[in-house]
Amino acid sequence: PPPQAEERILKKVRRKIRNKQSAQDSRRRKKEYLDGLESRAAACSAQNQELRKKIQELERRNGSLLRQLQALIKQTSSKAAQTSACVLV
């Protein structure tokens, strides 16, 4: 074949090689990106679970503190009533 035809064939082969390499690189980058997203999603899920446990613990402690406060209010109001009674007598 004439030199121009050989050159066209060479260009075509080089282009195919470059395209193939580019496609491989693209698939590799996509896989790395997805792996990173999966890793972040797993980390976020773990953190979310920890935070849910912490919320449950805080809600439990809050309920306990509210009951203690209500008990103190009852004690204080009954003492005030007794003190008032003593003052009135």
Side-chain angles (χ1 to χ4, degrees), residues 21 23-33 35:
Q21 183 64 43
Q24 287 175 347
D25 291 343
S26 177
R27 286 190 295 271
R28 179 188 48 79
R29 284 192 307 269
K30 183 178 180 181
K31 185 179 183 326
E32 288 174 357
Y33 175 73
D35 289 345

Side-chain angles (χ1 to χ4, degrees), residues 67-88:
R67 286 189 294 276
Q68 289 177 10
L69 179 62
Q70 289 170 348
L72 285 172
I73 290 172
K74 278 185 178 180
Q75 286 178 357
T76 306
S77 64
S78 66
K79 284 183 182 178
Q82 289 175 358
T83 306
S84 297
C86 290
V87 172
L88 290 175

